[in-house]
Amino acid sequence: MSNSDTFIEQDIFNYSDRLAIRSFTSQDLSRASQAIIDSGSNVLGLSIEYADTLSNRRRTKGKERGKAKGVVRALAIATTDKVYYISFDDSKGMQTGKETAFSDVLCGHHVSLAAFSMARLILHINRDLRYHAKGFDLSTIYTSPGEPCLWHRDHDDMASACLRAWISAKCAASLNEYVWIARQVDTTNLYKGQLALLGRLVLTAHQLESLKPLKVDNEFRAVTPGKPGKLVVECLRYKTRVRKSKQTRVILEDSHGGRVVCQAVTAVGKRTTVVPSKGRYQDGIQRVSVEGREEMTCAEKACDAFILRVLRKEINLHDRPLINTLWFPPPTLAKTPRPKHSSPVSPAFCRLNTSQRQVAAAMISTTESVVIAHGPPGTGKTTTIAAAVDYWQQESKPVWIVAQSNVGVKNIARSLVGKNFHGFKLIVSKEFHFEWHEELYARVEHNLIRSDELARTPNPIETERKLAGSRIILCTLSMLSNPFLDDARVYSFVPVERLVVDEASQINVSEYMHLIHKFKKLQKLCFFGDPKQLPPFGQEAAPAMQSIFEVKHLKPRAYFLDTQYRMPIPLGNFISDEVYNKKLKSVHKISDISCVSFVDVDKGTEESCGKSWTNSSEVQVIVTLVRRYYRRKPFAIITPYDPQRAAIQAALEKENLPSDCVYTVDSFQGKFIFQVRVSKY
């Protein structure tokens, strides 16, 4: 324990330029608790300093050890004039959850605790320290004040944690008695299994958030003066576009070394309007970058609101049968054989192969609420979905078909149209569609509804007119959390009773939880994907993430689409042997091994490019191949790394060769082309 206070500088409030900190270790919990109680404060601010895998490691006997990223390293508990900092970095000999006085502090027996994102904090505390905790979530009233870097940073530290706790105490004190009478989040409202589930959920969310970059360089065409006091950035690439945000800063750098700090206030299509707050604008902007992390998405906000309500005991996790099936199954479920289903006599079902017909029959059955279909590439996932959707449409039953990405949803829509199925509507965000990807939707333009059209006139009559009687809706999974759809009462006309999820192997299973609770009429969940392809984004950094295909008790109940029609037979057989345990059959007109070629670029070397890689020798080989053999043929080029994609595209453009056919593995997902070049860098 520190016998005297240390101080850190602060300039957030007009209070004092120094903030007192009293430090304790995990062995001093009793004395720390007494000091906090003796402070006489009625309300305390709370914050956590999280461990990260880079700066908080220790070495023992020559080996690195340390807490995983996102695990509690220290707690900061603050009054309005002092912070009590308790480190759990060295918890040897400490019995977590056993110190009574500390437990009383965290459970609000002497004072009331308050924090931003309190629901997340108390779940972290319960998960890592085994203490129950209770408090008021300031996020329900305020947005996080102070510098954004206090809440959004790559590596946490003591000073930031202490400032967050102190700011929370100041905000809570301004609310006076309201903090005491308001409904609080409380881990004692849940039992051990529920806390473990939500604890994993918030840990994963924290680890994924840490993957979001704090600085992104924008690919732009020009920066020009706009209305008085404003500038307009014309962006070139959707992925790096400048978005409207209150949490980020846009940095403009000119050829003379000048630097202008701006805030993005509007974004329409490729043009973003920014307002300078520091520096003087001059012509010749050479670099545009965005610093800081952007606001939470609608889906992230909805998930946080769901957790908050669970911890307030406003939601019972067990009142939705599908939540029980996915997360709290009876012990016998994994051993219960799948029910057998009969197929209807219809043209759509008759065109299916045996494995496809088995899945489609399960989809339309009333005895199997969760259907999981493992579909390798080219096995007809969309064909299978279309057969079930055709049946549901004839029965006038509503169904929502979703995917993780906008491109995935577009691919489903185009496949349905290709099968002469037109009775659906596709809801897409204006941000993705307008000026960026309008050409992607040319074949389904008559099925398209832009989300801003619903938001502009949240009128039930107008909504009904736009839906035009369709009972089949396509959109991204995140769109289901968009309040525009609630405001426009879309779910009143097309209730979410059946949900078909494509690209399910790329989706963290916890992303479904708040949606399952939201849609009370939901009775059928159908998942399609391939766990042998792309995993959920960020799984390496957040190992607790699972797709639906990795849920242990559901694995034995998954179906397998066993025949692929996309790859030539030699390639299909190789994939079957090496990836699918020889279970995948191939049907294709090409059977000669000459359909696959390998080019050894033996002099090529990989070059670091930020956190990724490029290989200039491979770029030149690919350009040569395109120039000599493929410039007048349909082809695609695939690479794992985005910098390599950009380098190949730029090199092709320089030679006046086709350049709109270069993809990363992610962006090519679901596409089909006759000729494919693969760059490993």
Side-chain angles (χ1 to χ4, degrees), residues 6-13 19-21 23 45-52 55-56 73-78 83-86 115-116 121 144-169 206 214 293:
T6 57
F7 296 88
I8 58 173
E9 304 296 322
Q10 72 82 25
D11 57 1
I12 298 172
F13 294 124
L19 178 63
I21 299 174
S23 297
L46 175 68
S47 182
I48 291 175
E49 180 188 346
Y50 296 98
D52 64 70
S55 63
N56 293 336
R73 182 174 183 240
L75 294 183
I77 301 175
V83 181
Y84 302 89
Y85 176 84
I86 306 167
F116 291 92
L121 297 192
S144 305
E147 289 295 321
C149 64
L150 291 179
W151 270 266
H152 311 285
R153 55 188 301 123
D154 273 337
H155 306 303
D156 212 354
D157 57 27
M158 174 183 177
S160 295
C162 290
L163 284 171
R164 290 196 300 265
W166 175 67
I167 290 170
S168 298
H206 180 91
L214 287 172
R293 288 203 178 108

Side-chain angles (χ1 to χ4, degrees), residues 426-445:
L426 192 165
I427 302 176
V428 65
S429 69
K430 177 183 178 181
E431 184 180 23
F432 183 81
H433 178 265
F434 180 62
E435 290 189 348
W436 286 110
H437 301 106
E438 294 176 50
E439 75 286 351
L440 295 181
Y441 298 92
R443 289 174 55 188
V444 293
E445 184 177 352

